[in-house]
Amino acid sequence: MKIAIVNGPNMNLLGLRETGIYGTVTWKQIEDRLNKLAGEWQVDVLFFQSNHEGEIVDFIQQQLHALDGVVINPAGFSKTGYSILDALTAVGIPYVEVHMSNIFERGGWHAESIFFANAVGHVIGLKANVYELGLRGIMQHVKEQRTSISGKEWRTGAH
Ligand SMILES: O=C1C[C@@](O)(C(=O)O)C[C@@H](O)[C@@H]1O
């Protein structure tokens, strides 16, 4: 099983940015932890972060047929990243949406996301833990799909 963990803009600044909200953990530390868990859980994980919407679209397109699922923190693109959402829904890649902060408590534009409706689930507000919980969630979802019908047939509507 291959899962991509995709981060939108400024998530590379973890550890520096608004530490009162996101904590002092760096992305490198989160990635190390996820790599360790991926070994234990026997899943291939692929990491991608960009501050540019088109680069995220390119990444998803390149991986379109290789991926079984995505954990995405659209970050600053949550409210506006239609082309990213289109890429994910192009062949129906199942995704879990994560946000480290409690976007509902923060309110305003933070609380709005165009990714909500199509996500298989959401993990919000648990700081760095959202990534491993999101990974666990998408893995479970993919497994459950496979026990009913082939995930790729499901995605292409061939069933
Ligand atoms: O960049 C981010 C990070 C975020 O997605 C989060 O992980 O809590 C919340 C977004 O509103 C914000 O723009």
Side-chain angles (χ1 to χ4, degrees), residues 45-93:
V45 285
L46 203 60
F47 299 100
F48 188 77
Q49 188 277 332
S50 180
N51 298 325
H52 306 279
E53 184 170 346
E55 285 184 2
I56 298 177
V57 173
D58 286 344
F59 169 79
I60 294 168
Q61 286 191 10
Q62 280 152 18
Q63 296 295 326
L64 213 55
H65 299 292
L67 290 176
D68 295 293
V70 168
V71 174
I72 185 164
N73 184 346
F77 293 141
S78 302
K79 201 181 159 184
T80 59
Y82 286 103
S83 61
I84 300 172
L85 181 62
D86 269 347
L88 287 170
T89 53
V91 293
I93 301 176

Side-chain angles (χ1 to χ4, degrees), residues 14-65:
L14 280 181
L16 282 178
R17 74 179 290 206
E18 296 170 281
T19 52
I21 294 174
Y22 300 108
T24 52
V25 67
T26 63
W27 179 253
K28 170 83 173 73
Q29 289 169 324
I30 297 176
E31 205 172 293
D32 287 349
R33 164 104 181 124
L34 291 170
N35 271 323
K36 187 167 169 282
L37 289 173
E40 285 168 23
W41 295 346
Q42 298 184 314
V43 58
D44 289 333
V45 285
L46 203 60
F47 299 100
F48 188 77
Q49 188 277 332
S50 180
N51 298 325
H52 306 279
E53 184 170 346
E55 285 184 2
I56 298 177
V57 173
D58 286 344
F59 169 79
I60 294 168
Q61 286 191 10
Q62 280 152 18
Q63 296 295 326
L64 213 55
H65 299 292

Side-chain angles (χ1 to χ4, degrees), residues 116-145:
F116 282 151
N118 289 296
V120 299
H122 313 91
V123 189
I124 291 168
L126 298 170
K127 297 206 171 137
N129 296 315
V130 297
Y131 291 97
E132 62 184 80
L133 295 169
L135 178 59
R136 199 70 196 142
I138 194 70
M139 286 177 65
Q140 196 59 36
H141 174 82
V142 172
K143 273 185 200 148
E144 279 164 18
Q145 268 195 351

Side-chain angles (χ1 to χ4, degrees), residues 9-11 17 21-22 73-78 98-103 106 109-111 130-131:
N10 299 306
M11 298 313 292
R17 74 179 290 206
I21 294 174
Y22 300 108
N73 184 346
F77 293 141
S78 302
V98 303
H99 294 280
M100 292 178 72
S101 61
N102 183 344
I103 55 176
R106 292 174 81 180
W109 63 270
H110 289 288
V130 297
Y131 291 97

